[in-house]
Amino acid sequence: MGACPSSVHHSSIRGTIVSIIIRETAGPARGGPGFHLRNEAFSYAFCVLRNGHLGALHAGAPIRGQEGFDDLLKPEPRPYSCSVYRDDPSLSLEHLRLEYPCYGTTDFRLPAIRVEPAAGAVLCDFKYRSWRRFAGRSAIPGLPSTYAESPDEAETLEVELFDELIGATLVLSYTVWRDFAVISRGATIRNDGPRSFALSACASASVDVPMAEGTVLTMSGAWARERELTTRPIAPGLAASYSLRGISGHNGGPFIALASPGTREDSGEVLAMALVYSGNYEAAADTDSFGVTRLRIGLDTREFRWNLEPGESFSTPEALVVWSGRGYEGMSDAFHRIMRTRLARGPWRDRPRPVIANTWEACYWDVNEKLVLELGREAAAAGVELLVVDDGWFSGRRDDSRALGDWRPDPVKFPRGLGPVADDLAKLGLGFGIWMEPEMVSEDSELFRAHPDWVSGDPARPRSPGRNQFVLDLTRPEVAEFVFRSVRDVLSSARVLYLKWDMNRPITEAFSPALPADRRGEFFHRYLLSLYGVIERLAAEFPQVLFESCAGGGGRFDPGMLPYAPQSWTSDDTDAIERLRIQWGASFAYPLSMTDAHVSASPNHQVGRITPIGVRAAVAAFGVSGWELDFRALDAPDRNLAARWTAWWKENRALMASGDFRRLRGFADGDGNEVAWAVVARDRSHAIVLHVRTLAKPNPAWSRLRLRGLDPDRLYRVRRTEASAGAPHPATGAEWRTRGDELQAIGLPVEDGRSITGDFRTLVFELSPAD
Ligand code: GLA
């Protein structure tokens, strides 16, 4: 470990370089080596300070940094600060940029770690001990994480620190990727001492950066309004996003970014973090009075408390740290690429996702065998590939007041069970999918009557219902086993190819009587570990099943579910115009291959808006597209259009799933009346562009939509479809040829100054090689 005075390791693969440079020789302010992780897009450097703690040096543009790091570290004595050493007033942690800091000595900002020893002060003093590095990346026990498919894709540095008084070892892990502008981070803490201690904060990543100006970007929202974007100026104080709901939530999401002043889609610097986790989290930007912002992400620090007995260890979820010198677009590209290809996994990661029809908005709880087969016939005629039987199929489930937990087919609605229905759908050429909400129980259920004690909460206090239901105490092994078996039995009872795993309420009164008093603060995280464990086992046993995650729409729309469920129900709001905003917001961190988008009925069930089917289909095409309406209720022209849009999406789904997403015009631009985006193939040969003018305007201004990411030298064939008027090309389209440079410098014509075509006018442009 760390023997040589200076060690540089390069792997040069396909012209890109990933390296970890380690400088052992210490300068005056250093107490140990400096570390520099870099690839072509991102440099991340830190070092050991004189007191053995870690100092943050750089998280940003790629630099060579081979000459040493001491010029980046200039401790100065400052008034009214306390110093670590009597003989050196310059070493005040408050005035240094720190890497994984702790509170309690001379730093006063939000700590990354908080350890409560069995006795004595709540302080910790982790000092550098050693480092090691290895090719590839190792898994985190019990938690979802990114993975390298071959050891040359990534290199990992582990830095070990030790608090002698507590007897605690802290291992910080950093993976630098060959192909992504991402550093994967995490921490493991081990009790190597004779006495137990508790962890009450343990961030996945924390770094101090010299950013006093710019923007803090977080996600916010509510049910049916998920993934709204919140921007705040970077200013002294705290800007944060968090969840204490037991799910990552509709109201935020484990993501935070700092952007330099004036950052746009394609320019400006962005440092961002996302947490690979689906429960309580905290993402914070803490700006001090000296122009330094601490960016931190990890488990929530308010309710969390974890006991570590001698010999035990605790690992945090993984944080994805992204840097972009190409504005928000570069940030999104990095998140999309790593999440789609090295976080999502299993046979469905790269497979074309089936076009599904879901029964929910078609019939809600009134689902039955006859209806499923009728819908199936219509859906199959429209080119749909799989039918999902949503809520309402199981014993006694007539509405949301009963039956969760009783996962047997309702004998009246499905007298033959699920198997024959799946077989009949197969004869129509359709796969069969099913909805479950396995973590829940209704009070009016056989499960509740048999096991009232399986509900999470304090039996001495009232439990708050949510959608008339309660959350099972997954921290108990027998309950987790019940959940596993319930799902396994359903999946093995029929040819199930798809499972929608829902979770329709947050966790309140979080408590398990089975946990000892000193482990109460472990409830939420234990719940998540158990949930991941159950889904992991199911995914291993049923590799053919495509899992979709869902929590009342986008309540668990986060990176943590991706390894198990490569796609996620984005929102219960299926209105096309609302979805523009929701899918726009989601795209900041999440890939289109994860973002489910269904065409639903008009008038829309959530907002009552009336839109043409082509508008709904065009917006839903930018994601994992599907249908969520009663095909029988469509008139003949709309049925025809449904079939044509389905065929069109199938032709384009590979591009939608793998291309680069380009946000071109949004609600924050101009008068906010137009939204435009594009998906551009990685080789820049093809692109599909969407432009929606939400409200019609008389006598509109001439307008062109400039594209980005094309090959400027290429001659493209452009096919224009007015989706609001009908089907995709060629029925309503026009076609011409233009070179990439012109499309980027001048743009596509989206308003010719004459046409008045009603509200929600939607244009789709398809670009393909013309030569
Ligand atoms: C949640 C989901 C919906 C649907 C219903 C069924 O709200 O988001 O898509 O599955 O549950 O109850």
Side-chain angles (χ1 to χ4, degrees):
M1 282 209 191
C4 50
S6 169
S7 125
V8 181
H9 172 77
H10 291 289
S11 344
S12 192
I13 310 119
R14 289 205 302 269
T16 61
I17 292 174
V18 49
S19 66
I20 299 177
I21 303 164
I22 296 159
R23 292 277 158 214
E24 288 282 10
T25 38
R30 293 215 335 248
F35 305 96
H36 180 185
L37 295 88
R38 66 168 194 169
N39 61 22
E40 277 197 340
F42 191 3
S43 266
Y44 193 98
F46 60 99
C47 68
V48 178
L49 299 172
R50 189 185 153 198
N51 70 335
H53 292 202
L54 300 180
L57 299 176
H58 176 69
I63 51 170
R64 264 159 293 195
Q66 307 215 8
E67 315 312 323
F69 303 101
D70 289 297
D71 57 321
L72 296 170
L73 195 71
K74 290 253 184 292
E76 302 281 357
R78 282 177 184 265
Y80 208 79
S81 47
C82 306
S83 56
V84 176
Y85 299 110
R86 284 162 198 258
D87 66 349
D88 179 5
S90 72
L91 200 85
S92 167
L93 297 178
E94 181 183 6
H95 297 298
L96 285 172
R97 284 186 274 125
L98 302 175
E99 181 77 14
Y100 217 76
C102 43
Y103 165 81
T105 57
T106 63
D107 181 39
F108 304 96
R109 295 164 287 179
L110 287 185
I113 183 160
R114 193 165 185 273
V115 181
E116 299 178 16
V122 179
L123 289 179
C124 51
D125 186 21
F126 286 101
K127 290 184 185 298
Y128 169 77
R129 190 151 71 178
S130 61
W131 59 267
R132 73 174 186 123
R133 71 170 168 217
F134 55 89
R137 167 163 179 76
S138 43
I140 310 171
L143 283 169
S145 66
T146 54
Y147 54 90
E149 284 200 332
S150 64
D152 58 359
E153 286 185 354
E155 190 168 12
T156 299
L157 169 73
E158 284 183 356
V159 177
E160 191 172 299
L161 302 106
F162 187 63
D163 183 311
E164 221 171 302
L165 198 69
I166 304 174
T169 302
L170 172 66
V171 180
L172 302 180
S173 156
Y174 300 80
T175 300
V176 55
W177 295 87
R178 181 188 67 193
D179 300 327
F180 313 113
V182 178
I183 306 276
S184 291
R185 290 190 51 180
T188 296
I189 180 157
R190 203 172 57 229
N191 186 346
D192 287 331
R195 286 188 292 174
S196 66
F197 60 79
L199 268 179
S200 49
C202 196
S204 297
S206 173
V207 64
D208 293 355
V209 288
M211 279 185 90
E213 289 185 293
T215 302
V216 183
L217 176 70
T218 52
M219 290 179 179
S220 50
W223 173 83
R225 282 196 284 111
E226 296 92 336
R227 316 281 91 80
E228 290 177 350
L229 298 169
T230 296
T231 54
R232 281 173 269 218
I234 296 178
L238 192 61
S241 156
Y242 67 91
S243 168
L244 293 173
R245 296 163 187 266
I247 46 176
S248 50
H250 306 80
N251 319 65
F255 158 85
I256 189 164
L258 296 177
S260 61
T263 291
R264 299 157 53 96
E265 276 300 317
D266 58 347
S267 64
E269 296 191 21
V270 185
L271 181 68
M273 292 180 174
L275 191 68
V276 183
Y277 195 62
S278 313
N280 292 354
Y281 72 92
E282 207 171 274
D286 185 12
T287 304
D288 70 12
S289 314
F290 304 96
V292 172
T293 298
R294 175 164 297 169
L295 191 64
R296 192 192 74 174
I297 202 162
L299 295 173
D300 131 73
T301 60
R302 274 160 276 200
E303 299 299 318
F304 170 80
R305 197 173 181 281
W306 193 274
N307 253 24
L308 277 176
E309 299 298 327
E312 285 182 351
S313 61
F314 179 88
S315 291
T316 70
E318 174 181 356
L320 302 173
V321 183
V322 160
W323 183 81
S324 160
R326 217 164 37 78
Y328 293 121
E329 183 174 290
M331 171 193 77
S332 302
D333 281 353
F335 279 130
H336 291 186
R337 288 174 193 166
I338 195 165
M339 287 187 198
R340 182 164 51 75
T341 64
R342 290 296 177 273
L343 186 53
R345 65 184 185 205
W348 281 104
R349 185 189 73 183
D350 302 327
R351 252 188 226 165
R353 306 290 168 69
V355 180
I356 71 157
N358 182 299
T359 58
W360 180 239
E361 287 197 28
C363 58
Y364 295 97
W365 288 279
D366 291 333
V367 66
N368 59 56
E369 174 178 332
K370 183 168 163 283
L371 189 65
V372 166
L373 294 176
E374 272 177 39
L375 288 175
R377 264 186 291 277
E378 300 285 342
V384 165
E385 295 161 312
L386 191 144
L387 192 121
V388 178
V389 176
D390 207 284
D391 198 352
W393 60 269
F394 46 99
S395 182
R397 181 75 164 174
R398 293 193 297 277
D399 52 35
D400 65 11
S401 69
R402 70 198 76 225
L404 288 170
D406 300 343
W407 300 111
R408 294 178 313 281
D410 184 83
V412 178
K413 295 176 178 181
F414 292 91
R416 296 188 297 154
L418 298 178
V421 179
D423 294 343
D424 288 353
L425 288 173
K427 287 181 203 139
L428 296 170
L430 288 175
F432 173 67
I434 194 88
W435 174 96
M436 290 184 79
E437 204 182 342
E439 299 154 74
M440 294 293 153
V441 61
S442 308
E443 213 160 10
D444 184 2
S445 68
E446 286 170 30
L447 176 65
F448 185 87
R449 285 185 280 276
H451 298 285
D453 57 317
W454 279 11
V455 175
S456 64
D458 185 345
R461 291 184 182 275
R463 289 170 236 221
S464 314
R467 210 195 194 204
N468 306 306
Q469 65 199 49
F470 298 94
V471 183
L472 290 172
D473 179 2
L474 250 66
T475 69
R476 292 169 61 169
E478 66 276 28
V479 181
E481 190 57 29
F482 166 82
V483 169
F484 170 76
R485 282 174 193 221
S486 309
V487 181
R488 188 187 61 185
D489 291 351
V490 170
L491 295 185
S492 14
S493 71
R495 277 198 273 173
V496 179
L497 294 177
Y498 190 98
L499 175 70
K500 178 173 172 187
W501 183 298
D502 208 341
M503 201 289 187
N504 273 317
R505 57 156 293 168
I507 300 176
T508 54
E509 294 90 31
F511 180 75
S512 171
L515 285 176
D518 65 347
R519 291 196 177 269
R520 283 176 295 206
E522 300 178 11
F523 177 83
F524 278 115
H525 188 58
R526 283 190 182 276
Y527 185 97
L528 259 291
L529 290 173
S530 171
L531 173 73
Y532 288 141
V534 168
I535 307 186
E536 174 104 48
R537 282 171 70 195
L538 289 163
E541 196 166 326
F542 299 94
Q544 82 283 4
V545 174
L546 171 57
F547 284 67
E548 169 185 301
S549 67
C550 175
R556 244 191 211 154
F557 195 87
D558 56 56
M561 293 307 283
L562 263 179
Y564 319 101
Q567 58 191 65
S568 190
W569 185 223
T570 314
S571 175
D572 275 347
D573 189 344
T574 55
D575 173 68
I577 304 304
E578 293 282 301
R579 275 302 189 101
L580 289 173
R581 196 185 292 274
I582 295 167
Q583 290 170 215
W584 175 278
S587 78
F588 272 71
Y590 305 114
L592 264 58
S593 58
M594 161 176 174
T595 306
D596 286 359
H598 293 174
V599 183
S600 62
S602 178
N604 172 265
H605 292 190
Q606 291 80 39
V607 295
R609 187 172 284 129
I610 295 172
T611 51
I613 196 165
V615 175
R616 286 172 270 146
V619 174
F622 289 81
V624 184
S625 196
W627 296 83
E628 183 119 1
L629 46 68
D630 186 347
F631 278 99
R632 299 168 310 171
L634 295 181
D635 59 19
D638 272 7
R639 276 184 204 209
N640 178 269
L641 290 176
R644 294 177 61 180
W645 278 104
T646 300
W648 181 83
W649 189 75
K650 285 182 191 166
E651 276 167 31
N652 292 297
R653 62 181 149 190
L655 171 59
M656 293 294 189
S658 64
D660 291 330
F661 193 65
R662 297 287 166 256
R663 291 174 294 263
L664 301 172
R665 215 171 264 181
F667 291 101
D669 298 321
D671 61 3
N673 196 36
E674 295 166 54
V675 174
W677 60 47
V679 170
V680 181
R682 293 298 305 274
D683 67 3
R684 301 186 294 171
S685 60
H686 292 75
I688 302 179
V689 184
L690 177 82
H691 179 275
V692 181
R693 184 188 61 199
T694 51
L695 296 181
K697 283 200 169 180
N699 202 11
W702 185 88
S703 169
R704 289 215 166 216
L705 179 69
R706 288 172 66 173
L707 305 184
R708 286 196 309 279
L710 302 180
D711 178 350
D713 299 325
R714 190 184 278 274
L715 188 64
Y716 289 95
R717 186 174 63 160
V718 181
R719 302 203 301 195
R720 174 188 182 275
T721 295
E722 189 163 334
S724 30
H729 192 86
T732 59
E735 198 172 307
W736 67 93
R737 288 156 174 243
T738 317
R739 214 162 277 283
D741 57 356
E742 201 175 317
L743 289 165
Q744 301 195 131
I746 301 170
L748 290 165
V750 290
E751 200 73 85
D752 62 11
R754 283 175 291 116
S755 56
I756 301 171
T757 40
D759 292 343
F760 319 126
R761 200 224 32 207
T762 300
L763 302 177
V764 173
F765 300 89
E766 291 168 70
L767 276 58
S768 55
D771 38 19

